Amino acid sequence: LQPFSDENVQIGDPAREEEESGYEAIFHDDGIFYVVRESVWHSHKQKRKAGTYRAIVEELLLSEDDYEIVNKCSSEFVFEGNSKGFEGAISVRDTEGELVILGLCEGNYCAENTKDDTGNGRIVAMKKGSSEDGTCTWKTIKQIPIPKSADFQDYSSITLNDDGRVAISSQEDSVVWIGRLNGRGDNGLWSLDEIEFDDGDHKVYQFPKDTSCNTIYCNIEGIHWLDGNMLVAVSDKMKSKGKQDFSCFDKDQSVHVMVVP
């Protein structure tokens, strides 16, 4: 990725959704890009003013200058509101070769008001199925607790490499937890009965501070393994109106490459 290159282009219409889009996760599998809207209001078809908050997973097929939405399915998993849904997502294949989404909840216990109840992160494992009305749904298979050693206020992104090594970032705490996910067979397929984090093999790293030890990586929203010891991270825009310290400005809306010690 070269800064300011003519080959860096935006495709699609960023204003195609009337409400705030809430796109928080993206991953690629078998030629399709999957993008996740973290938590969207779904009105009940029979009951006026009734409904639930659920994630929406869109499947995109990219061309040179645009993309096509080939499928759009909601999650069976229900959230409390629109601000603490799925903040990250990765995919694995189960022992039957079927796609499984591992959705990272932003809030502890996958809840809205649990910021102070740290160290209770959750992953939701989902497989595509059908709901009672015949529409496609990402059905919940199980919840996978994130080890309490990831003692974070929130969870902003997740990445998994071929060796089962995992990195999970926190925006609020400006840290990354690096550990291991068990359950992968020698054939590269994952047993959903055995999939769990190995809490005995982990490290927690702070993102770099400035010379006065102030937090400067304040808004890490995405993270991805480049190789076994190198991570690329992306940061969101600094919060305005005094919600964040000025030291957050220098690293906002940027791509960062970091070597794990």
Side-chain angles (χ1 to χ4, degrees), residues 115-184:
K115 183 174 181 179
D116 295 330
D117 199 358
T118 59
N120 292 288
R122 297 290 186 270
I123 301 286
V124 180
M126 302 170 286
K127 290 176 68 173
K128 189 189 288 186
S130 298
S131 59
E132 293 180 357
D133 62 4
T135 58
C136 63
T137 303
W138 285 96
K139 291 185 169 292
T140 301
I141 304 302
K142 65 186 296 186
Q143 290 190 44
I144 306 167
I146 298 172
K148 288 186 175 295
S149 53
D151 189 25
F152 302 158
Q153 298 179 64
D154 74 339
Y155 306 84
S156 64
S157 189
I158 183 171
T159 181
L160 172 71
N161 68 13
D162 292 338
D163 295 328
R165 204 172 184 211
V166 179
I168 298 175
S169 60
S170 169
Q171 180 179 143
E172 292 281 349
D173 296 303
S174 189
V175 294
V176 59
W177 180 92
I178 295 178
R180 190 163 298 279
L181 189 64
N182 297 329
R184 183 178 184 270

Side-chain angles (χ1 to χ4, degrees), residues 78-138:
V78 175
F79 295 100
E80 294 178 351
N82 65 352
S83 64
K84 297 291 181 183
F86 289 134
E87 193 74 1
I90 54 177
S91 67
V92 298
R93 293 277 174 172
D94 67 9
T95 53
E96 298 174 350
E98 296 184 1
L99 181 69
V100 178
I101 293 180
L102 303 181
L104 173 71
C105 291
E106 180 178 2
N108 285 284
Y109 295 112
C110 295
E112 289 274 314
N113 299 309
T114 54
K115 183 174 181 179
D116 295 330
D117 199 358
T118 59
N120 292 288
R122 297 290 186 270
I123 301 286
V124 180
M126 302 170 286
K127 290 176 68 173
K128 189 189 288 186
S130 298
S131 59
E132 293 180 357
D133 62 4
T135 58
C136 63
T137 303
W138 285 96

Side-chain angles (χ1 to χ4, degrees), residues 4-226:
F4 309 112
S5 170
D6 292 338
E7 296 181 1
N8 299 339
V9 295
Q10 175 181 287
I11 62 173
D13 180 8
R16 68 176 172 84
E17 300 291 344
E18 293 183 2
E19 72 276 17
E20 185 175 344
S21 64
Y23 289 99
E24 295 289 354
I26 183 170
F27 64 88
H28 181 265
D29 184 273
D30 197 24
I32 298 291
F33 283 91
Y34 294 77
V35 295
V36 182
R37 299 179 67 188
E38 69 169 317
S39 186
V40 179
W41 177 254
H42 289 58
S43 298
H44 196 286
K45 293 182 179 180
Q46 281 77 39
K47 299 179 181 179
R48 186 180 180 185
K49 295 184 179 180
T52 52
Y53 286 99
R54 303 171 187 264
I56 295 177
V57 180
E58 297 179 351
E59 301 172 31
L60 309 182
L61 187 62
L62 270 62
S63 62
E64 287 188 7
D65 56 3
D66 206 350
Y67 62 81
E68 175 188 2
I69 303 175
V70 296
N71 210 349
K72 182 189 296 187
C73 309
S74 299
S75 68
E76 181 183 58
F77 193 85
V78 175
F79 295 100
E80 294 178 351
N82 65 352
S83 64
K84 297 291 181 183
F86 289 134
E87 193 74 1
I90 54 177
S91 67
V92 298
R93 293 277 174 172
D94 67 9
T95 53
E96 298 174 350
E98 296 184 1
L99 181 69
V100 178
I101 293 180
L102 303 181
L104 173 71
C105 291
E106 180 178 2
N108 285 284
Y109 295 112
C110 295
E112 289 274 314
N113 299 309
T114 54
K115 183 174 181 179
D116 295 330
D117 199 358
T118 59
N120 292 288
R122 297 290 186 270
I123 301 286
V124 180
M126 302 170 286
K127 290 176 68 173
K128 189 189 288 186
S130 298
S131 59
E132 293 180 357
D133 62 4
T135 58
C136 63
T137 303
W138 285 96
K139 291 185 169 292
T140 301
I141 304 302
K142 65 186 296 186
Q143 290 190 44
I144 306 167
I146 298 172
K148 288 186 175 295
S149 53
D151 189 25
F152 302 158
Q153 298 179 64
D154 74 339
Y155 306 84
S156 64
S157 189
I158 183 171
T159 181
L160 172 71
N161 68 13
D162 292 338
D163 295 328
R165 204 172 184 211
V166 179
I168 298 175
S169 60
S170 169
Q171 180 179 143
E172 292 281 349
D173 296 303
S174 189
V175 294
V176 59
W177 180 92
I178 295 178
R180 190 163 298 279
L181 189 64
N182 297 329
R184 183 178 184 270
D186 293 337
N187 57 1
L189 302 178
W190 293 79
S191 169
L192 296 184
D193 293 328
E194 298 176 5
I195 193 169
E196 64 179 2
F197 288 98
D198 182 356
D199 194 22
D201 181 13
H202 73 271
K203 289 185 179 295
V204 177
Y205 297 101
Q206 293 185 347
F207 286 102
K209 310 288 186 180
D210 67 11
T211 55
S212 299
C213 208
N214 294 312
T215 297
I216 53 177
Y217 291 88
C218 308
N219 299 289
I220 297 296
E221 283 278 302
I223 199 165
H224 185 76
W225 288 111
L226 289 178

